[in-house]
mmCIF file of all heavy atoms in Angstrom:
data_model
loop_
_atom_site.group_PDB
_atom_site.id
_atom_site.type_symbol
_atom_site.label_atom_id
_atom_site.label_comp_id
_atom_site.label_asym_id
_atom_site.label_seq_id
_atom_site.Cartn_x
_atom_site.Cartn_y
_atom_site.Cartn_z
ATOM 1 N N TYR E 73 7.054 46.109 -28.951
ATOM 2 C CA TYR E 73 8.374 45.979 -28.408
ATOM 3 C C TYR E 73 8.687 47.122 -27.441
ATOM 4 O O TYR E 73 8.061 48.209 -27.511
ATOM 5 C CB TYR E 73 9.444 45.991 -29.499
ATOM 6 C CG TYR E 73 9.636 47.272 -30.185
ATOM 7 C CD1 TYR E 73 10.540 48.210 -29.688
ATOM 8 C CD2 TYR E 73 8.902 47.638 -31.313
ATOM 9 C CE1 TYR E 73 10.656 49.460 -30.311
ATOM 10 C CE2 TYR E 73 9.042 48.880 -31.894
ATOM 11 C CZ TYR E 73 9.912 49.760 -31.403
ATOM 12 O OH TYR E 73 10.064 50.991 -31.967
ATOM 13 N N GLY E 74 9.582 46.837 -26.526
ATOM 14 C CA GLY E 74 10.043 47.866 -25.604
ATOM 15 C C GLY E 74 11.542 47.914 -25.563
ATOM 16 O O GLY E 74 12.222 46.891 -25.656
ATOM 17 N N LEU E 75 12.061 49.108 -25.559
ATOM 18 C CA LEU E 75 13.504 49.313 -25.449
ATOM 19 C C LEU E 75 14.017 49.121 -24.034
ATOM 20 O O LEU E 75 15.199 48.925 -23.862
ATOM 21 C CB LEU E 75 13.900 50.656 -26.039
ATOM 22 C CG LEU E 75 13.526 50.874 -27.486
ATOM 23 C CD1 LEU E 75 13.853 52.317 -27.932
ATOM 24 C CD2 LEU E 75 14.156 49.841 -28.418
ATOM 25 N N ASP E 76 13.143 49.239 -23.102
ATOM 26 C CA ASP E 76 13.435 48.854 -21.741
ATOM 27 C C ASP E 76 12.138 48.219 -21.200
ATOM 28 O O ASP E 76 11.174 48.054 -21.892
ATOM 29 C CB ASP E 76 13.820 50.064 -20.901
ATOM 30 C CG ASP E 76 12.783 51.139 -20.885
ATOM 31 O OD1 ASP E 76 11.577 50.888 -20.958
ATOM 32 O OD2 ASP E 76 13.210 52.341 -20.847
ATOM 33 N N SER E 77 12.216 47.752 -19.982
ATOM 34 C CA SER E 77 11.018 46.975 -19.454
ATOM 35 C C SER E 77 9.896 47.856 -18.867
ATOM 36 O O SER E 77 8.981 47.391 -18.330
ATOM 37 C CB SER E 77 11.495 46.033 -18.367
ATOM 38 O OG SER E 77 12.149 46.757 -17.346
ATOM 39 N N LYS E 78 10.011 49.211 -19.065
ATOM 40 C CA LYS E 78 9.045 50.089 -18.460
ATOM 41 C C LYS E 78 7.813 50.280 -19.295
ATOM 42 O O LYS E 78 6.674 50.404 -18.834
ATOM 43 C CB LYS E 78 9.675 51.446 -18.220
ATOM 44 C CG LYS E 78 10.784 51.421 -17.174
ATOM 45 C CD LYS E 78 11.427 52.794 -16.987
ATOM 46 C CE LYS E 78 12.610 52.693 -16.059
ATOM 47 N NZ LYS E 78 13.401 53.898 -16.077
ATOM 48 N N ASP E 79 7.952 50.427 -20.636
ATOM 49 C CA ASP E 79 6.814 50.753 -21.464
ATOM 50 C C ASP E 79 7.051 50.203 -22.895
ATOM 51 O O ASP E 79 8.180 49.850 -23.312
ATOM 52 C CB ASP E 79 6.754 52.314 -21.588
ATOM 53 C CG ASP E 79 5.319 52.813 -21.479
ATOM 54 O OD1 ASP E 79 4.417 52.031 -21.493
ATOM 55 O OD2 ASP E 79 5.208 54.050 -21.442
ATOM 56 N N TRP E 80 5.960 50.141 -23.684
ATOM 57 C CA TRP E 80 6.094 49.748 -25.072
ATOM 58 C C TRP E 80 6.487 50.983 -25.893
ATOM 59 O O TRP E 80 5.971 52.053 -25.690
ATOM 60 C CB TRP E 80 4.736 49.156 -25.576
ATOM 61 C CG TRP E 80 4.320 47.958 -24.842
ATOM 62 C CD1 TRP E 80 3.174 47.786 -24.144
ATOM 63 C CD2 TRP E 80 5.065 46.718 -24.687
ATOM 64 N NE1 TRP E 80 3.105 46.530 -23.553
ATOM 65 C CE2 TRP E 80 4.272 45.902 -23.881
ATOM 66 C CE3 TRP E 80 6.287 46.287 -25.129
ATOM 67 C CZ2 TRP E 80 4.673 44.592 -23.547
ATOM 68 C CZ3 TRP E 80 6.684 45.011 -24.776
ATOM 69 C CH2 TRP E 80 5.909 44.208 -24.019
ATOM 70 N N ASP E 81 7.428 50.771 -26.771
ATOM 71 C CA ASP E 81 7.924 51.881 -27.606
ATOM 72 C C ASP E 81 7.438 51.876 -29.019
ATOM 73 O O ASP E 81 7.503 52.895 -29.692
ATOM 74 C CB ASP E 81 9.453 51.857 -27.611
ATOM 75 C CG ASP E 81 9.977 52.158 -26.222
ATOM 76 O OD1 ASP E 81 9.758 53.276 -25.741
ATOM 77 O OD2 ASP E 81 10.676 51.265 -25.705
ATOM 78 N N GLY E 82 6.925 50.793 -29.540
ATOM 79 C CA GLY E 82 6.421 50.727 -30.864
ATOM 80 C C GLY E 82 5.861 49.350 -31.132
ATOM 81 O O GLY E 82 5.789 48.495 -30.297
ATOM 82 N N ALA E 83 5.455 49.159 -32.388
ATOM 83 C CA ALA E 83 4.822 47.874 -32.796
ATOM 84 C C ALA E 83 5.039 47.605 -34.286
ATOM 85 O O ALA E 83 5.340 48.522 -35.046
ATOM 86 C CB ALA E 83 3.319 47.970 -32.501
ATOM 87 N N TYR E 84 4.867 46.354 -34.673
ATOM 88 C CA TYR E 84 4.937 45.965 -36.079
ATOM 89 C C TYR E 84 3.841 44.841 -36.224
ATOM 90 O O TYR E 84 3.463 44.206 -35.240
ATOM 91 C CB TYR E 84 6.237 45.285 -36.379
ATOM 92 C CG TYR E 84 7.464 46.219 -36.443
ATOM 93 C CD1 TYR E 84 8.133 46.608 -35.331
ATOM 94 C CD2 TYR E 84 7.902 46.714 -37.650
ATOM 95 C CE1 TYR E 84 9.237 47.458 -35.366
ATOM 96 C CE2 TYR E 84 8.993 47.496 -37.758
ATOM 97 C CZ TYR E 84 9.658 47.862 -36.596
ATOM 98 O OH TYR E 84 10.727 48.735 -36.677
ATOM 99 N N CYS E 85 3.390 44.706 -37.432
ATOM 100 C CA CYS E 85 2.568 43.560 -37.800
ATOM 101 C C CYS E 85 3.384 42.715 -38.724
ATOM 102 O O CYS E 85 3.866 43.204 -39.804
ATOM 103 C CB CYS E 85 1.267 43.989 -38.453
ATOM 104 S SG CYS E 85 0.154 42.543 -38.787
ATOM 105 N N VAL E 86 3.477 41.444 -38.405
ATOM 106 C CA VAL E 86 4.331 40.514 -39.153
ATOM 107 C C VAL E 86 3.468 39.524 -39.910
ATOM 108 O O VAL E 86 2.574 38.941 -39.293
ATOM 109 C CB VAL E 86 5.371 39.746 -38.225
ATOM 110 C CG1 VAL E 86 6.215 38.773 -39.040
ATOM 111 C CG2 VAL E 86 6.242 40.783 -37.481
ATOM 112 N N TYR E 87 3.682 39.417 -41.171
ATOM 113 C CA TYR E 87 2.944 38.430 -41.987
ATOM 114 C C TYR E 87 3.820 37.167 -42.127
ATOM 115 O O TYR E 87 4.971 37.242 -42.597
ATOM 116 C CB TYR E 87 2.653 38.999 -43.411
ATOM 117 C CG TYR E 87 2.126 38.087 -44.408
ATOM 118 C CD1 TYR E 87 0.998 37.345 -44.167
ATOM 119 C CD2 TYR E 87 2.782 37.858 -45.629
ATOM 120 C CE1 TYR E 87 0.440 36.481 -45.100
ATOM 121 C CE2 TYR E 87 2.271 37.015 -46.614
ATOM 122 C CZ TYR E 87 1.127 36.272 -46.275
ATOM 123 O OH TYR E 87 0.598 35.398 -47.230
#
Side-chain angles (χ1 to χ4, degrees):
Y73 70 88
L75 300 175
D76 57 34
S77 58
K78 295 178 186 170
D79 223 353
W80 300 121
D81 293 298
Y84 289 83
C85 184
V86 179
Y87 170 57

